[in-house]
Amino acid sequence: MARKQGSHAETTAPKVRDAALRLFARHGYAAVSMRQIAQEVGVQAGALYRYTPDKQHLLFDLMRSHMEALFEARQAYAQPSDPLARLDAFTTFHIRFHLQRVDAVFVSYMELRNLSPENFAEVARLRSRYEGELEAILRDGVAAGVFEIADCKITTLAIIAMLTGLTTWYREGGRLPLDEITALYVRMVRGAVGVV
Amino acid sequence: MARKQGSHAETTAPKVRDAALRLFARHGYAAVSMRQIAQEVGVQAGALYRYTPDKQHLLFDLMRSHMEALFEARQAYAQPSDPLARLDAFTTFHIRFHLQRVDAVFVSYMELRNLSPENFAEVARLRSRYEGELEAILRDGVAAGVFEIADCKITTLAIIAMLTGLTTWYREGGRLPLDEITALYVRMVRGAVGVV
DNA sequence: CAATAAACTGAACGCTTGTTCATTTGCAAA
DNA sequence: TTTGCAAATGAACAAGCGTTCAGTTTATTG
């Protein structure tokens, strides 16, 4: 019989992903070598190839599972029915989720150009599906007469850019607690969609 | 006497900068080699070192002159006195300037981590000076009772993130003309600062 | 204990990297 | 036409790159 499957592999695999994510976020995909990742894991470079077919796929896996985690977390979130409550919930969710995974957010936004065309298309598809969720909320709000929005598509992109920008400057233990910051953003998002 | 200064250098120098900017934006600083830049310019790699002490400085120069161009362009812009008009003018200016230099914006936001600490500090200083201009507008508006803002610092960052995000998706000849897009953003920014 | 297979090593592969520098090119002034 | 120098070449440097693979280690199974 085979050895209990992956007694070490199950330890090493996430280590590889963690190290790669942290290093890619810090220095950029192209600037990080497989040897650096290996050193962080405590292993020789060749051993990494038991966990990824190549460097490019390692990057893609990180991005894809970031998006998958995003949808999974979102599904676990309460979905109110009235548009304004849903918008607020989206804002809160987006901020909380993204702040918990700054490295993954950074890598997912910065390293798109290092993906092969097919891998890029896959990530782009997932991202626009997520954007679609916000857009649907906006459309519902407009239909219900609660939002005043001239163009839902553009408003969606503007809101997401505004919210995600938070990840570039937020530091734990900063001037304001996260709850207050979130409340500020909820209010700004409301303002941007014309809620008075 | 010396030859007319830089008869060729004056041609080559901007070519080097243009090529570097385009390639850095497209593939990332670390992924671009000096030989690639040289080929784009039509020169051997060694010749680049007449125009930059090293690769890192080439990146820094691009970022610094992007920021300098930003301040120069802003100074040439009309500065109304009432806060709301100034806010609208800032929005319009920011969009127009940044859309004309997508590559420089991209590089300036993506490649900060590839700067040496001193060079990073310099770019950060210039950036926060620019943010300060918007923040001043917001504070004036609050003082004048036209804006309803809970925290001017955070609102500043949120607005700039929202506006700059435009550069990642805008394409000339897209669904909407730039004037309409700008008008949409002017309205959203107004909403975010609580103008009714 | 012996057998087995997963996990990992360590060296090697061909290639590219940023940077340097002695040398050549080519134009403009004298 | 000669001279002088900026501009550019092209070869070289040591170092590092992603990836492969035969071989060694190691822990668990029968």
Side-chain angles (χ1 to χ4, degrees), chain A residues 10 14 33 35 49 91 102 126 156 165 173 194 196:
Chain A
E10 276 168 5
S33 72
R35 283 169 180 85
Y49 290 83
T91 302
V102 205
L126 291 169
T156 297
V196 285

Side-chain angles (χ1 to χ4, degrees), chain B residues 23-98:
Chain B
L23 287 171
F24 287 167
R26 193 111 58 214
H27 308 292
Y29 171 78
V32 172
S33 71
M34 294 301 266
R35 283 169 180 83
Q36 281 175 65
I37 298 172
Q39 191 179 18
E40 197 90 342
V41 174
V43 109
Q44 291 296 318
L48 297 180
Y49 290 83
R50 310 198 99 262
Y51 303 100
T52 182
D54 51 35
K55 193 187 173 190
Q56 146 90 205
H57 207 94
L58 185 51
L59 174 64
F60 172 61
D61 272 347
L62 292 173
M63 291 199 191
R64 187 180 45 191
S65 61
H66 171 64
M67 292 307 293
E68 279 164 4
L70 177 64
F71 286 113
E72 211 169 311
R74 177 131 180 79
Q75 245 169 343
Y77 230 67
Q79 297 276 359
S81 63
D82 101 278
L84 184 55
R86 267 163 74 210
L87 180 66
D88 290 352
F90 182 92
T91 303
T92 307
F93 165 77
H94 188 94
I95 291 176
R96 297 204 171 264
F97 181 84
H98 284 76

Side-chain angles (χ1 to χ4, degrees), chain A residues 67-174:
Chain A
M67 292 307 292
E68 279 165 4
L70 177 64
F71 286 114
E72 210 169 311
R74 179 135 178 76
Q75 247 170 341
Y77 230 67
Q79 297 276 357
S81 63
D82 101 278
L84 183 55
R86 267 163 75 209
L87 180 65
D88 290 352
F90 182 91
T91 302
T92 307
F93 166 77
H94 188 93
I95 290 177
R96 298 203 168 264
F97 181 85
H98 283 76
L99 281 188
Q100 263 158 15
R101 303 158 166 266
V102 205
D103 282 352
V105 171
F106 205 72
V107 169
S108 293
Y109 275 75
M110 300 288 242
E111 307 293 355
L112 283 169
R113 59 192 169 192
N114 286 306
L115 291 177
S116 70
E118 314 88 59
N119 289 348
F120 174 85
E122 169 70 3
V123 173
R125 192 183 61 78
L126 291 169
R127 176 161 308 168
S128 87
R129 194 180 116 196
Y130 180 67
E131 290 165 1
E133 295 195 15
L134 174 56
E135 200 181 329
I137 296 174
L138 299 188
R139 292 203 190 285
D140 289 355
V142 170
V146 258
F147 299 161
E148 267 182 51
I149 298 175
D151 189 291
C152 286
K153 194 117 216 146
I154 289 179
T155 304
T156 297
L157 296 172
I159 290 175
I160 287 184
M162 184 171 97
L163 295 179
T164 307
L166 179 45
T167 59
T168 65
W169 59 263
Y170 176 80
R171 295 291 171 266
E172 213 158 344

